Amino acid sequence: MLNQPANHALSASPECSTNASAAWVDVVLLIDTSSNMGSANLRKISTVLSLVMSKFTIGNRANISAGEHNTRVAVITYDREVKIVAKFTDINSLGDLSTVLNKIQMSNTKEANLLE
């Protein structure tokens, strides 16, 4: 625990939400599509991510004054090249995310370039 001066206002920073549907989060999914990953593992990633992200309110149009929150999601894949598959503004629902994830194809290259 950090030692805080007695007059330090801890309320200056809002607490993190313990409720996923009320969280303000930006999530960038970075997915390896090189042939080393394997098609079966790529499909597992899609399934698991859809399950995990179903807990969050995905979108870009929260009504802040009404206390609405949302989680923005972007998807980037990499093999020999890095590709932005979906920007934050492209995914507005769990259905959009599932569609994007299901369209990701396995590369035929074994190269995985994270430097780009």
Side-chain angles (χ1 to χ4, degrees), residues 68-116:
E68 294 177 7
H69 300 124
N70 57 203
T71 297
R72 298 186 313 163
V73 182
V75 179
I76 298 172
T77 61
Y78 67 95
D79 51 24
R80 179 179 349 169
E81 297 176 356
V82 174
K83 297 176 190 119
I84 298 172
V85 177
K87 298 176 186 176
F88 287 131
T89 55
D90 296 332
I91 299 175
N92 292 295
S93 67
L94 183 60
D96 289 349
L97 176 59
S98 294
T99 298
V100 167
L101 293 174
N102 288 328
K103 287 182 179 179
I104 295 174
Q105 297 293 315
M106 185 63 45
S107 170
N108 60 5
T109 181
K110 289 187 175 194
E111 292 178 61
N113 175 11
L114 282 175
L115 299 176
E116 190 177 313

Side-chain angles (χ1 to χ4, degrees), residues 35-51:
S35 60
N36 297 321
M37 175 61 83
S39 295
N41 288 331
L42 186 61
R43 291 302 123 218
K44 286 178 191 176
I45 288 171
S46 177
T47 301
V48 169
L49 287 173
S50 291
L51 287 171

